[in-house]
Amino acid sequence: MRRLLANHSQERRAITDKPSSSTASRADLIAALARPPRLGDFGMGAAKAVISLRLVALCVQSGHDPIAVLARRLGGVGEAKAMFGFLDRCGAVWPERMAVHRPCCPVLGPDEATLAAMAMAADAGDHRAFERVLDGFIRPDRREGLFIAAMGAMAQL
């Protein structure tokens, strides 16, 4: 009986020691989902959009003019107005108040990651990718204006 139990425990250990490819891929997926997106995971235009969002949030909180701050950061008033227009449009159609991190934080929150993905799709001119990012999140009748604002902001950068 001991021998049978010993063999059974060895077989069980052998099974659990060697994960199957589907188990390994699930584990990789879970690990990827557990790792929050980072600012460096996205392109430069997307990073500028996220940093701009964070700066606008600070300006609103402290009473400073966001256009002036964005103009200094983005290199001009035209760039600042286009980015502010895009971010203002996002705020108008977002289902709830956007959550942002501090400007120095390398990790993105869910709203910031969505904004970064929108900016990347708009920068590439990929309307389908932009739609996929917002699918189930923003009503379809509000997406076109958002895409146009995003394209305008990315074109100015």
Side-chain angles (χ1 to χ4, degrees):
M1 183 66 147
R2 271 192 180 156
R3 206 164 136 199
L4 180 61
L5 289 174
N7 287 341
H8 177 69
S9 65
Q10 286 174 351
E11 287 173 14
R12 189 171 187 192
R13 204 172 317 128
I15 290 170
T16 57
D17 288 346
K18 296 188 292 185
S20 69
S21 62
S22 65
T23 305
S25 63
R26 280 189 216 133
D28 292 342
L29 176 62
I30 290 169
L33 290 172
R35 180 186 162 270
R38 301 179 66 81
L39 197 55
D41 295 343
F42 297 91
M44 187 58 73
K48 286 181 179 183
V50 171
I51 294 299
S52 295
L53 173 67
R54 292 173 176 184
L55 290 173
V56 168
L58 281 177
C59 288
V60 167
Q61 187 178 36
S62 65
H64 290 91
D65 179 19
I67 298 293
V69 172
L70 290 178
R72 280 195 304 273
R73 292 293 182 134
L74 298 176
V77 174
E79 293 89 340
K81 284 184 175 181
M83 183 59 72
F84 186 77
F86 169 50
L87 296 174
D88 189 47
R89 184 76 177 217
C90 287
V93 301
W94 225 251
E96 57 189 35
R97 192 169 177 206
M98 293 178 91
V100 299
H101 287 97
R102 293 183 177 153
C104 60
C105 184
V107 175
L108 300 180
D111 291 332
E112 295 170 327
T114 301
L115 179 77
M118 289 167 48
M120 281 186 60
D123 198 24
D126 191 343
H127 198 276
R128 286 186 182 170
F130 193 87
E131 289 284 327
R132 280 192 303 271
V133 169
L134 298 177
D135 192 37
F137 184 64
I138 302 291
R139 289 186 353 211
D141 61 316
R142 296 181 173 187
R143 294 182 199 161
E144 191 61 33
L146 197 54
F147 182 68
I148 292 168
M151 291 276 292
M154 294 300 109
Q156 288 287 326
L157 297 180

